[in-house]
Amino acid sequence: WWTATATGCGSMPDLYRTIGVPGAGKTRWIQTQVAAWSQEFGYEPRDFVLTSLTRAAATVLRGRIDVPAENATTFHALAYRGLGKPPIAEVGALRKQWNEFCEKKGILDWSLEKEGNLDDDIYHERLAEFSPGQLLSMYTLWRVTGRTNRLLEETTSVFARYWEGFKKDTASIDFTDMLELGLQLERCPGNPSVLMCDEAQDFTPLMWRLALQWAQATNQTVFCGDPAQVLYAYAGATPYSLLTPIDGEHYRLLSRSYRLMPEIQQY
């Protein structure tokens, strides 16, 4: 487990799946693995890209592991950088412009209540009936879960036509576009030898698809998380991808908690 074989680009990479209970030291394990692979393969800090669910969590990783600031970030922000940072439809003047359009049309649930923020990977509005952002949330959920839910597709079809037209007219993208358009990028931004994905239990199916695509151009890719700690199921996150074995992968379970009493962990 602890020794990986470095493979050249174009070959199948080494894939790692690490599951740890609360307080098992998942972040410390990532730190240890970075040090081990740096020594074994001669990797430099710029050869690692570390992603986590929020920028706060990414900052924790960067505080413990010596990598360039832009190499420890959220998954959306990473893809956004690779796309050249185009205007974002959910923020600033564009958000205001869209809301003014919705106000004139008298359609409250088409407007955007929440200001988009790259500090968090999961951008999601409310799902309450007839609330601002409802239709965008439903449309986002349809897209990040694989565009297979016919009810979501039919419910948001009219909204989607106007929303996609707005983005085209303003040459902007939304937060889901960062991932969908990111699929056009053959390599992970930063061209890392090692891609480490923390908090992978909160990845949506679309994020998994992109991460596995980028993994093909790395030597090692790590997915680390805890399926029992899913926070964003309402936004399309699912633990099943983290629980499903990947062909040829290495697997490790961090089963001892240094934070919880044994009785609580066993329960």
Side-chain angles (χ1 to χ4, degrees):
W1 161 255
W2 293 102
T3 302
T5 302
T7 57
C9 291
S11 303
M12 283 298 293
D14 282 322
L15 299 176
Y16 295 81
R17 181 167 51 111
T18 301
I19 294 176
V21 300
K26 294 186 289 295
T27 302
R28 183 172 180 82
W29 178 87
I30 291 175
Q31 181 181 8
T32 301
Q33 201 59 38
V34 167
W37 284 341
S38 296
Q39 183 174 5
E40 184 172 358
F41 301 125
Y43 291 147
E44 298 184 9
R46 67 173 181 271
D47 294 321
F48 294 88
V49 164
L50 315 177
T51 71
S52 194
L53 192 64
T54 65
R55 184 156 304 176
T59 300
V60 171
L61 288 174
R62 190 167 64 246
R64 297 187 184 184
I65 304 169
D66 180 23
V67 298
E70 65 272 15
N71 283 23
T73 186
T74 67
F75 210 74
H76 278 73
L78 188 63
Y80 182 58
R81 186 180 99 197
L83 294 172
K85 300 183 178 181
I88 304 175
E90 293 104 324
V91 304
L94 290 179
R95 171 176 170 269
K96 181 179 179 181
Q97 182 179 338
W98 172 259
N99 284 349
E100 288 174 349
F101 164 77
C102 295
E103 185 176 354
K104 291 179 181 178
K105 290 286 186 179
I107 33 185
L108 177 63
D109 53 346
W110 283 29
S111 63
L112 307 181
E113 180 182 54
K114 180 181 177 182
E115 178 81 13
N117 194 331
L118 274 173
D119 282 352
D120 295 292
D121 256 0
I122 303 295
Y123 171 75
H124 217 70
E125 293 269 8
R126 298 180 185 178
L127 280 174
E129 188 175 8
F130 304 126
S131 68
Q134 179 199 22
L135 265 294
L136 177 59
S137 284
M138 297 173 70
Y139 182 50
T140 297
L141 190 61
W142 175 66
R143 296 166 69 191
V144 301
T145 54
R147 296 176 177 260
T148 58
N149 187 310
R150 290 186 178 181
L151 178 60
L152 287 176
E153 181 180 12
E154 292 173 0
T155 304
T156 61
S157 60
V158 178
F159 166 84
R161 187 165 67 250
Y162 280 91
W163 179 245
E164 292 299 329
F166 174 75
K167 290 188 297 178
K168 182 178 180 180
D169 291 343
T170 57
S172 63
I173 66 173
D174 60 24
F175 280 77
T176 308
D177 286 327
M178 295 176 190
L179 305 181
E180 290 188 324
L181 295 176
L183 291 168
Q184 300 174 9
L185 304 174
E186 293 184 2
R187 295 174 177 270
C188 173
N191 192 24
S193 298
V194 181
L195 173 62
M196 289 191 160
C197 304
D198 197 13
E199 307 291 355
Q201 76 277 354
D202 276 308
F203 274 24
T204 64
L206 179 56
M207 293 173 70
W208 273 100
R209 182 183 172 192
L210 181 56
L212 288 172
Q213 175 175 301
W214 284 349
Q216 301 308 307
T218 69
N219 293 336
Q220 293 95 12
T221 294
V222 174
F223 298 101
C224 189
D226 179 7
Q229 295 189 65
V230 178
L231 298 178
Y232 295 100
Y234 68 91
T238 171
Y240 299 115
S241 294
L242 184 60
L243 288 168
T244 303
I246 305 170
D247 290 343
E249 74 167 357
H250 307 265
Y251 171 78
R252 184 178 178 91
L253 175 64
L254 306 177
S255 58
R256 178 183 177 184
S257 176
Y258 296 89
R259 182 189 308 157
L260 303 179
M261 296 173 59
E263 295 82 0
I264 297 176
Q265 180 182 340
Q266 184 60 39
Y267 177 82

